[in-house]
């Protein structure tokens, strides 16, 4: 039995005929009769009987119709509870991010949502191989994920919003011989020792592209995922590395140089299950993430313009 069938049985008890029920529910009499037959199949006792031309409820039918009132009341309360949950502007929203995105986007997000009545954040760091990010949407409302510019799109089972398309530059110690060049090529950097990520993480594909363009395989001296640690190892002379241009804080002993000849850019995307965005609080957080991302890219554009003007 389902809610619609119970509603029809209840209306039949009150209105006294299939035709009257059909008119009240804006359906055909045959549709009413069909639903009553389906309901009857689920129960071992008759629910209706004929009294002349009228179809009336048996004692069992009257008992079930009375119980249907309680069912409809409980369902109405359940719907109201869901509506209140979906509509709450100050509900908790869980957000996970890989490390550099969290460092860049969590602080402005917290500041934007600090006022009373705004969503309450539950933040987490999750740095996983690219193919594992969609699975995190089972646990978190919003997941900040990264993939390379030319990588396959995320699966259709999750919604994806691109926040940033961030260049990946070559990080060098400030005194490195290549630091004097404004732009580097794969041949320039292929012979250097490299600090790069573990297998399965998207930055590694750029190293493969450098190897293909330069005709030689770079030596991978160190495997470190956390960019803040990478920056310190580069500054200490441990090798060179690819670093995100916008989401990492400038390091006083490093220089970043753009890399030509290969596609060195990553997407920073927000992944979520489509049903999560039905919630007002989740949509609010997603909007603020977009604002924070735009501020980051706008700040970089303004800094580049100021540098060109000074030059």
């Amino acid at each position: 039995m389902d809610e619609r069938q119970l509603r029809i049985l209840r209306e039949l008890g009150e209105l006294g005929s299939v035709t009257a029920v059909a008119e009240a529910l804006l359906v055909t009499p045959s549709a009413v009769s069909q639903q009553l037959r389906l309901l009857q199949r689920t129960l071992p006792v008759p629910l209706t009987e004929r009294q002349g031309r009228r179809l009336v409820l048996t004692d069992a039918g009257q008992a079930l119709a009375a119980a249907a009132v309680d069912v409809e009341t409980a369902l109405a309360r359940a719907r109201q509870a869901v509506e209140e949950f979906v509509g709450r502007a100050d509900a908790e929203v869980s957000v996970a991010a890989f490390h550099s995105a969290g460092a860049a986007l969590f602080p402005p997000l917290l500041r934007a949502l600090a006022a009373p009545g705004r969503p309450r954040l539950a933040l987490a760091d999750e740095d996983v191989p690219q193919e594992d990010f969609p699975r995190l949407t089972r646990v978190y409302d919003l997941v900040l994920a990264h993939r390379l510019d030319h990588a396959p799109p995320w699966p259709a089972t999750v919604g994806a919003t691109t926040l940033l398309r961030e260049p990946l530059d070559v990080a060098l110690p400030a005194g490195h011989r290549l630091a004097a060049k404004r732009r580097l090529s794969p041949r320039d950097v292929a012979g250097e020792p490299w600090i790069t990520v573990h297998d399965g993480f998207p930055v590694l594909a750029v190293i493969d592209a450098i190897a293909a363009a330069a005709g030689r395989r770079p030596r991978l001296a160190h495997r470190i995922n956390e960019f803040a640690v990478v920056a310190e190892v580069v500054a200490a002379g441990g090798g060179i590395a690819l670093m995100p241009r916008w989401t990492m804080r400038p390091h006083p002993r490093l220089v970043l140089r753009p890399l030509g000849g290969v596609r060195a850019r990553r997407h920073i995307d927000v992944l979520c299950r489509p049903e999560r965005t039905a919630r007002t609080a989740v949509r609010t957080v997603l909007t603020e993430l977009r604002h924070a991302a735009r501020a980051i890219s706008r700040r970089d554009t303004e800094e580049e313009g100021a540098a060109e003007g000074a030059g």
Side-chain angles (χ1 to χ4, degrees):
M1 67 181 71
D2 62 28
E3 179 188 4
R4 179 177 51 176
Q5 294 166 353
L6 292 175
R7 175 76 184 279
I8 287 173
L9 188 72
R10 178 186 175 187
E11 296 292 345
L12 180 62
E14 293 180 4
L15 299 176
S17 75
V18 168
T19 301
V21 173
E23 291 176 353
L25 299 182
L26 303 177
V27 296
T28 64
S30 61
V32 172
S33 297
Q34 181 186 29
Q35 291 302 315
L36 287 172
R37 285 194 297 271
L38 291 173
L39 177 60
Q40 181 63 74
R41 289 175 190 172
T42 66
L43 296 167
V45 294
L47 298 174
T48 61
E49 60 184 6
R50 287 283 176 185
Q51 289 186 359
R53 291 187 172 184
R54 297 179 65 239
L55 185 69
V56 299
L57 301 186
T58 64
D59 290 344
Q62 291 174 8
L64 184 57
V69 176
D70 294 333
V71 171
E72 287 198 61
T73 301
L75 287 172
R77 287 173 179 163
R79 291 192 189 95
Q80 182 179 1
V82 170
E83 289 170 1
E84 290 175 356
F85 171 74
V86 168
R88 277 190 60 189
D90 62 346
E92 181 177 281
V93 177
S94 56
V95 184
F98 61 95
H99 297 141
S100 55
L105 293 169
F106 281 173
L109 186 62
L110 285 164
R111 289 191 290 269
L113 299 174
R118 303 281 273 166
R120 293 175 288 107
L121 293 172
L123 305 177
D125 63 328
E126 291 279 3
D127 202 5
V128 298
Q130 181 176 326
E131 65 269 18
D132 289 341
F133 277 112
R135 298 174 194 166
L136 294 176
T137 60
R138 294 188 181 98
V139 181
Y140 302 100
D141 294 313
L142 299 171
V143 176
L144 294 175
H146 54 91
R147 66 180 180 89
L148 290 182
D149 203 14
H150 55 279
W154 301 107
T157 53
V158 299
T161 300
T162 297
L163 296 179
L164 290 169
R165 292 178 175 87
E166 182 178 30
L168 298 171
D169 294 330
V170 178
L172 307 159
H176 195 281
R177 60 181 180 80
L178 294 174
K181 302 187 72 168
R182 293 180 60 86
R183 190 176 189 83
L184 301 176
S185 71
R187 288 182 178 275
D188 290 329
V189 299
E192 299 292 320
W194 277 85
I195 306 155
T196 191
V197 295
H198 293 277
D199 291 341
F201 289 80
V203 174
L204 199 60
V206 181
I207 304 297
D208 294 335
I210 291 170
R216 61 181 296 185
R217 184 71 188 173
R219 180 169 69 89
L220 306 184
H222 309 287
R223 295 294 192 100
I224 303 170
N225 274 18
E226 173 53 62
F227 282 123
V229 179
V230 172
E232 297 300 332
V233 176
V234 172
I240 66 174
L242 289 169
M243 298 282 284
R245 183 179 298 177
W246 299 333
T247 54
M248 278 295 295
R249 293 179 180 177
H251 192 289
R253 290 181 288 148
L254 295 187
V255 296
L256 299 183
R257 293 292 179 261
L259 179 64
V262 296
R263 295 172 69 179
R265 192 171 68 165
R266 70 175 181 179
H267 286 209
I268 298 179
D269 298 331
V270 184
L271 309 184
C272 68
R273 297 198 164 196
E275 65 271 18
R276 305 280 181 125
T277 56
R279 296 175 54 203
T280 297
V282 172
R283 293 197 304 273
T284 298
V285 174
L286 186 55
T287 297
E288 294 299 341
L289 281 169
R290 291 194 190 102
H291 291 164
R294 280 198 294 268
I296 288 172
S297 59
R298 185 167 58 244
R299 182 178 67 238
D300 180 78
T301 302
E302 291 170 353
E303 289 174 355
E304 285 186 353
E308 289 178 2

